[in-house]
Amino acid sequence: MDDISAATTRAPDDRVLPYTVPALDIRGRVVRLGASLDDILGRHHYPEPVARVLAEAAALTVMLGSTLKGEGRFQLQTKSDGAIPMLVVDFNAPDSYRAMARYDAERLAQAMEAGTLSTGELLGSGHLAMTVDQGSETTRYQGIVALEGQSLEEAGHQYFRQSEQIPTRIRLGVGSVLSGGGLAWRAGGLIAQFMPTSPDRLRAADLSPGDAPEGHAILAAAADDNDGISDDAWAETRSLLGTIEHHELLDPTLDSERLLYRLFHERGAHVFEPLAVRDACRCSRERVMGMLKGFSQDDRQAMVADDGTLGVTCEFCSRRYDFSAAEVEAELSAQD
């Protein structure tokens, strides 16, 4: 663990930086996504509003999924009635993620013409699910948040109020910057969670001790500006996070350490070993074959092209897998 000083000069991308501010009883993470995110969005050629919303979801997912210990998967998925009816972002512990979106081109064009392009407006009404799956030896967990036109930041706040019951603030920023003569996508995010340990603060926050507090009054006070917590440290944290400018989460010359120093230098922030993250898909020829097994033989036959091949393109990485119809049926028969 290192103390943060004002002397930091590097600004590395595609990493997550854990931190704590002991004087305020908070812990959190800062994420910066650069080339990995630009590669994902570049493969799909999404319209700008779709790319922006998916980039927000990617930053949020990487920030939350990187807390997994060991192997496992954290997935964020939305299903809604807006111009972007589905987002899926997977974080595969310890260090890789992938992302995809589906959008309605006609409805998106209407939204662009009307100027209704906020994240909440593009997603519409539906739900957001966050799923933690750490293998067969652990219980799969899923938290669901209703989407009602709110931002992904607020949806994240609701997730922690309802599922984790930990006072949480999230800030997200997405945009593009000049890089190598062209524009490149970037995203940044910061999360802070109030984790009091002193008896006085535990009483003030109505929290139970430990890393995962249970059963406090935060649910009943969701609309309160301070999350229903009468603690000066949490009020100060929220106030400080409210000063973060959008560009500070994206600026390639402002690294995560310096951002934390700007926020918490009077209180003393400490950082831990950063985690480098990368863009990587989980698809494979074997997984695609397993997916095809889920279709009936008649459905598989309907997928066969005029040249006798059956092609499947991964929605995440755009990689195409081509099979002959005879090969598929022979392999699936051998698996039975």
Side-chain angles (χ1 to χ4, degrees):
M1 182 172 69
D2 301 315
D3 289 342
I4 297 175
S5 72
T8 306
T9 58
R10 296 181 300 108
D13 282 336
D14 296 323
R15 71 169 190 159
V16 182
L17 182 70
Y19 72 92
T20 65
V21 184
L24 296 176
D25 275 340
I26 65 169
R27 70 178 186 186
R29 294 188 167 226
V30 184
V31 61
R32 292 292 181 87
L33 301 180
S36 65
L37 178 67
D38 192 57
D39 287 346
I40 289 173
L41 299 179
R43 282 197 296 268
H44 293 283
H45 306 290
Y46 292 122
E48 189 278 338
V50 178
R52 173 176 52 79
V53 174
L54 184 58
E56 287 184 18
L60 179 60
T61 302
V62 171
M63 192 159 55
L64 301 184
S66 60
T67 64
L68 292 178
K69 306 299 182 184
E71 296 185 356
R73 182 175 64 151
F74 180 93
Q75 182 183 79
L76 179 152
Q77 180 171 352
T78 67
K79 185 176 182 181
S80 57
D81 62 3
I84 305 177
M86 179 179 287
L87 301 171
V88 183
V89 188
D90 286 337
F91 183 87
N92 297 291
D95 62 359
S96 67
Y97 74 104
R98 61 181 188 170
M100 57 81 65
R102 292 180 184 170
Y103 66 95
D104 184 313
E106 182 177 349
R107 295 189 64 185
L108 179 63
Q110 294 171 351
M112 295 176 71
E113 183 176 355
T116 53
L117 295 174
S118 71
T119 296
E121 289 169 328
L122 290 173
L123 293 177
S125 299
H127 70 266
L128 178 151
M130 296 189 189
T131 306
V132 178
D133 186 348
Q134 292 193 272
S136 58
E137 296 183 0
T138 61
T139 302
R140 182 173 176 269
Y141 172 78
Q142 184 175 77
I144 296 178
V145 173
L147 291 177
E148 300 172 325
Q150 73 271 49
S151 68
L152 285 178
E153 284 183 3
E154 180 53 37
H157 298 159
Q158 291 175 244
Y159 168 78
F160 282 100
R161 285 197 292 261
Q162 297 172 9
S163 302
E164 303 291 335
Q165 299 187 356
I166 300 174
T168 301
R169 289 292 96 183
I170 295 168
R171 296 298 306 273
L172 298 172
V174 170
S176 54
V177 299
L178 283 173
S179 176
L183 289 175
W185 280 100
R186 297 175 59 82
L190 185 148
I191 185 171
Q193 296 185 301
F194 187 49
M195 310 293 285
T197 56
S198 70
D200 288 343
R201 281 185 178 162
L202 287 170
R203 286 194 293 272
D206 193 21
L207 297 172
S208 301
D211 286 343
E214 298 178 356
H216 57 75
I218 187 110
L219 289 172
D224 190 294
D225 284 345
N226 287 317
D227 289 327
I229 296 173
S230 57
D231 187 282
D232 291 343
W234 182 235
E236 180 179 341
T237 299
R238 288 178 54 113
S239 178
L240 289 171
L241 265 60
T243 68
I244 297 175
E245 300 287 345
H246 183 269
H247 68 85
E248 290 183 293
L249 294 169
L250 304 176
D251 188 347
T253 67
L254 177 64
D255 61 29
S256 300
E257 288 89 344
R258 188 173 291 272
L259 174 60
L260 290 171
Y261 177 81
R262 287 186 181 183
L263 288 171
F264 301 117
H265 65 277
E266 292 184 354
R267 290 296 192 171
H270 310 296
V271 296
F272 298 87
E273 187 69 23
L275 170 70
V277 296
R278 60 193 174 90
D279 155 38
C281 193
R282 299 171 63 242
C283 72
S284 66
R285 193 173 183 85
E286 292 72 26
R287 286 180 181 270
V288 173
M289 187 66 75
M291 179 272 294
L292 290 173
K293 188 176 182 180
F295 291 92
S296 68
Q297 186 173 18
D298 288 342
D299 287 338
R300 290 195 297 270
Q301 287 298 319
M303 299 177 192
V304 177
D306 292 340
D307 62 0
T309 63
L310 193 159
V312 177
T313 301
C314 176
E315 286 193 87
F316 286 97
C317 68
S318 300
R319 181 178 178 182
R320 182 174 175 83
Y321 295 87
D322 289 306
F323 307 86
S324 71
E327 174 190 7
V328 171
E329 297 307 322
E331 187 162 341
L332 294 181
S333 296
Q335 293 177 6
D336 291 334

PDB file of all heavy atoms in Angstrom, residues 244-256:
ATOM      1  N   ILE A 244     -15.988  16.224  -8.875  1.00  0.00           N
ATOM      2  CA  ILE A 244     -15.263  15.616  -9.998  1.00  0.00           C
ATOM      3  C   ILE A 244     -15.859  16.103 -11.321  1.00  0.00           C
ATOM      4  O   ILE A 244     -17.066  15.988 -11.561  1.00  0.00           O
ATOM      5  CB  ILE A 244     -15.334  14.081  -9.943  1.00  0.00           C
ATOM      6  CG1 ILE A 244     -14.654  13.554  -8.680  1.00  0.00           C
ATOM      7  CG2 ILE A 244     -14.668  13.476 -11.179  1.00  0.00           C
ATOM      8  CD1 ILE A 244     -14.799  12.052  -8.502  1.00  0.00           C
ATOM      9  N   GLU A 245     -15.014  16.661 -12.157  1.00  0.00           N
ATOM     10  CA  GLU A 245     -15.436  17.070 -13.492  1.00  0.00           C
ATOM     11  C   GLU A 245     -15.367  15.875 -14.443  1.00  0.00           C
ATOM     12  O   GLU A 245     -14.500  15.004 -14.309  1.00  0.00           O
ATOM     13  CB  GLU A 245     -14.526  18.191 -14.015  1.00  0.00           C
ATOM     14  CG  GLU A 245     -14.524  19.446 -13.171  1.00  0.00           C
ATOM     15  CD  GLU A 245     -15.805  20.249 -13.314  1.00  0.00           C
ATOM     16  OE1 GLU A 245     -16.562  19.987 -14.271  1.00  0.00           O
ATOM     17  OE2 GLU A 245     -16.046  21.128 -12.467  1.00  0.00           O
ATOM     18  N   HIS A 246     -16.284  15.878 -15.419  1.00  0.00           N
ATOM     19  CA  HIS A 246     -16.336  14.778 -16.374  1.00  0.00           C
ATOM     20  C   HIS A 246     -14.974  14.542 -17.026  1.00  0.00           C
ATOM     21  O   HIS A 246     -14.510  13.402 -17.152  1.00  0.00           O
ATOM     22  CB  HIS A 246     -17.396  15.096 -17.433  1.00  0.00           C
ATOM     23  CG  HIS A 246     -17.609  14.019 -18.442  1.00  0.00           C
ATOM     24  ND1 HIS A 246     -16.917  13.964 -19.638  1.00  0.00           N
ATOM     25  CD2 HIS A 246     -18.424  12.936 -18.433  1.00  0.00           C
ATOM     26  CE1 HIS A 246     -17.315  12.908 -20.324  1.00  0.00           C
ATOM     27  NE2 HIS A 246     -18.215  12.261 -19.628  1.00  0.00           N
ATOM     28  N   HIS A 247     -14.310  15.619 -17.417  1.00  0.00           N
ATOM     29  CA  HIS A 247     -13.041  15.467 -18.136  1.00  0.00           C
ATOM     30  C   HIS A 247     -11.948  14.876 -17.261  1.00  0.00           C
ATOM     31  O   HIS A 247     -10.983  14.292 -17.768  1.00  0.00           O
ATOM     32  CB  HIS A 247     -12.590  16.813 -18.705  1.00  0.00           C
ATOM     33  CG  HIS A 247     -12.187  17.809 -17.658  1.00  0.00           C
ATOM     34  ND1 HIS A 247     -10.923  17.848 -17.115  1.00  0.00           N
ATOM     35  CD2 HIS A 247     -12.888  18.798 -17.046  1.00  0.00           C
ATOM     36  CE1 HIS A 247     -10.854  18.809 -16.225  1.00  0.00           C
ATOM     37  NE2 HIS A 247     -12.035  19.410 -16.153  1.00  0.00           N
ATOM     38  N   GLU A 248     -12.069  14.996 -15.935  1.00  0.00           N
ATOM     39  CA  GLU A 248     -11.038  14.461 -15.053  1.00  0.00           C
ATOM     40  C   GLU A 248     -11.007  12.934 -15.096  1.00  0.00           C
ATOM     41  O   GLU A 248      -9.969  12.320 -14.825  1.00  0.00           O
ATOM     42  CB  GLU A 248     -11.273  14.928 -13.622  1.00  0.00           C
ATOM     43  CG  GLU A 248     -11.012  16.412 -13.418  1.00  0.00           C
ATOM     44  CD  GLU A 248     -11.195  16.817 -11.970  1.00  0.00           C
ATOM     45  OE1 GLU A 248     -12.336  16.765 -11.472  1.00  0.00           O
ATOM     46  OE2 GLU A 248     -10.190  17.185 -11.344  1.00  0.00           O
ATOM     47  N   LEU A 249     -12.124  12.313 -15.410  1.00  0.00           N
ATOM     48  CA  LEU A 249     -12.165  10.858 -15.511  1.00  0.00           C
ATOM     49  C   LEU A 249     -11.633  10.365 -16.856  1.00  0.00           C
ATOM     50  O   LEU A 249     -11.433   9.163 -17.035  1.00  0.00           O
ATOM     51  CB  LEU A 249     -13.601  10.368 -15.317  1.00  0.00           C
ATOM     52  CG  LEU A 249     -14.191  10.608 -13.921  1.00  0.00           C
ATOM     53  CD1 LEU A 249     -15.689  10.321 -13.923  1.00  0.00           C
ATOM     54  CD2 LEU A 249     -13.486   9.744 -12.887  1.00  0.00           C
ATOM     55  N   LEU A 250     -11.412  11.291 -17.799  1.00  0.00           N
ATOM     56  CA  LEU A 250     -10.993  10.914 -19.147  1.00  0.00           C
ATOM     57  C   LEU A 250      -9.609  11.418 -19.520  1.00  0.00           C
ATOM     58  O   LEU A 250      -8.971  10.874 -20.419  1.00  0.00           O
ATOM     59  CB  LEU A 250     -11.988  11.478 -20.186  1.00  0.00           C
ATOM     60  CG  LEU A 250     -13.444  11.095 -20.033  1.00  0.00           C
ATOM     61  CD1 LEU A 250     -14.272  11.815 -21.082  1.00  0.00           C
ATOM     62  CD2 LEU A 250     -13.621   9.596 -20.162  1.00  0.00           C
ATOM     63  N   ASP A 251      -9.152  12.468 -18.870  1.00  0.00           N
ATOM     64  CA  ASP A 251      -7.915  13.148 -19.238  1.00  0.00           C
ATOM     65  C   ASP A 251      -6.736  12.169 -19.251  1.00  0.00           C
ATOM     66  O   ASP A 251      -6.361  11.618 -18.215  1.00  0.00           O
ATOM     67  CB  ASP A 251      -7.658  14.273 -18.240  1.00  0.00           C
ATOM     68  CG  ASP A 251      -6.489  15.162 -18.647  1.00  0.00           C
ATOM     69  OD1 ASP A 251      -5.734  14.770 -19.552  1.00  0.00           O
ATOM     70  OD2 ASP A 251      -6.343  16.236 -18.048  1.00  0.00           O
ATOM     71  N   PRO A 252      -6.119  11.929 -20.425  1.00  0.00           N
ATOM     72  CA  PRO A 252      -4.999  10.972 -20.482  1.00  0.00           C
ATOM     73  C   PRO A 252      -3.749  11.458 -19.761  1.00  0.00           C
ATOM     74  O   PRO A 252      -2.825  10.681 -19.538  1.00  0.00           O
ATOM     75  CB  PRO A 252      -4.749  10.817 -21.987  1.00  0.00           C
ATOM     76  CG  PRO A 252      -5.294  12.061 -22.600  1.00  0.00           C
ATOM     77  CD  PRO A 252      -6.457  12.469 -21.760  1.00  0.00           C
ATOM     78  N   THR A 253      -3.712  12.748 -19.393  1.00  0.00           N
ATOM     79  CA  THR A 253      -2.554  13.264 -18.658  1.00  0.00           C
ATOM     80  C   THR A 253      -2.794  13.300 -17.153  1.00  0.00           C
ATOM     81  O   THR A 253      -1.899  13.687 -16.400  1.00  0.00           O
ATOM     82  CB  THR A 253      -2.198  14.689 -19.135  1.00  0.00           C
ATOM     83  OG1 THR A 253      -3.244  15.603 -18.767  1.00  0.00           O
ATOM     84  CG2 THR A 253      -2.012  14.718 -20.638  1.00  0.00           C
ATOM     85  N   LEU A 254      -3.991  12.919 -16.720  1.00  0.00           N
ATOM     86  CA  LEU A 254      -4.319  12.919 -15.294  1.00  0.00           C
ATOM     87  C   LEU A 254      -4.516  11.475 -14.850  1.00  0.00           C
ATOM     88  O   LEU A 254      -5.550  10.866 -15.130  1.00  0.00           O
ATOM     89  CB  LEU A 254      -5.588  13.731 -15.040  1.00  0.00           C
ATOM     90  CG  LEU A 254      -6.100  13.767 -13.601  1.00  0.00           C
ATOM     91  CD1 LEU A 254      -5.096  14.447 -12.682  1.00  0.00           C
ATOM     92  CD2 LEU A 254      -7.456  14.462 -13.530  1.00  0.00           C
ATOM     93  N   ASP A 255      -3.538  10.906 -14.172  1.00  0.00           N
ATOM     94  CA  ASP A 255      -3.661   9.504 -13.785  1.00  0.00           C
ATOM     95  C   ASP A 255      -4.539   9.357 -12.553  1.00  0.00           C
ATOM     96  O   ASP A 255      -4.934  10.331 -11.904  1.00  0.00           O
ATOM     97  CB  ASP A 255      -2.280   8.862 -13.575  1.00  0.00           C
ATOM     98  CG  ASP A 255      -1.479   9.540 -12.480  1.00  0.00           C
ATOM     99  OD1 ASP A 255      -2.075  10.091 -11.546  1.00  0.00           O
ATOM    100  OD2 ASP A 255      -0.235   9.497 -12.562  1.00  0.00           O
ATOM    101  N   SER A 256      -4.871   8.124 -12.248  1.00  0.00           N
ATOM    102  CA  SER A 256      -5.787   7.841 -11.145  1.00  0.00           C
ATOM    103  C   SER A 256      -5.240   8.311  -9.809  1.00  0.00           C
ATOM    104  O   SER A 256      -5.979   8.805  -8.951  1.00  0.00           O
ATOM    105  CB  SER A 256      -6.091   6.338 -11.092  1.00  0.00           C
ATOM    106  OG  SER A 256      -6.685   5.903 -12.292  1.00  0.00           O
TER     107      SER A 256
END
